[in-house]
Amino acid sequence: MFSDLPRNAGEPVFREPWEAKAFAMAVELHARGLFTWPEWAQALSGAIREAQAGGDPDCGDSYYHHWLAALETMVVTRAVATTEGLARRREAWHRAAAATPHGEPIELGRDGTPVPPA
């Protein structure tokens, strides 16, 4: 199923926490019936092809960026989210990251506003 994932000792390797979260989201959305694995493979390969056409050298360090692009495509094509809604959430995340002290977790409220550190 996930034969192209970066691995170490047979286990998926995540360089950043967000990569593990993106992986988990794809698994959960599949479990909820949003897409089949063949549909996912098509979306992921499409995201990789698009990135390579745009100059991505495919050194392995951008794999989960492709994963995230495929997730965004799936939720938009399945009408779970809109492109505009995703853009607003991304902007809110960047604002929250800028407002969060280094080393503290970045958090957004349900409304997309930054949650101040405790």
Side-chain angles (χ1 to χ4, degrees), residues 3 5 15-16 26 37 40 46 48 50 53 68 71 93 98-99 113 116:
S3 59
L5 285 177
R15 294 170 3 125
E16 301 286 339
W37 288 131
W40 170 254
I48 292 169
E50 188 174 317
L68 184 58
L71 270 176
W93 180 260
T113 58

Side-chain angles (χ1 to χ4, degrees), residues 8 12 16 28-29 44 50 52 54-55 65 70 74 87 89 92 99 114 117:
N8 183 7
E16 301 286 339
E28 181 62 23
L29 290 173
L44 180 58
E50 188 174 317
Q52 289 173 340
H65 290 277
M74 295 304 288
R89 191 69 169 180

Side-chain angles (χ1 to χ4, degrees), residues 14-15 18 22 24 48 55 61 67 77 84 95 106 109-110 112 115:
F14 304 107
R15 294 170 3 125
W18 72 266
I48 292 169
D61 57 344
W67 192 275
T77 60
E84 296 79 16
R95 285 191 308 275
I106 301 168
R110 286 189 169 270
V115 174

Side-chain angles (χ1 to χ4, degrees), residues 15-85:
R15 294 170 3 125
E16 301 286 339
W18 72 266
E19 295 175 345
K21 289 179 181 182
F23 177 86
M25 280 191 277
V27 171
E28 181 62 23
L29 290 173
H30 168 266
R32 291 181 183 210
L34 187 68
F35 50 78
T36 65
W37 288 131
E39 291 169 330
W40 170 254
Q42 183 177 1
L44 180 58
S45 64
I48 292 169
R49 276 193 309 276
E50 188 174 317
Q52 289 173 340
D56 185 321
D58 196 18
C59 297
D61 57 344
S62 58
Y63 181 77
Y64 284 103
H65 290 277
H66 308 319
W67 192 275
L68 184 58
L71 270 176
E72 289 179 352
T73 296
M74 295 304 288
V75 298
V76 168
T77 60
R78 300 298 199 262
V80 173
T82 64
T83 302
E84 296 79 16

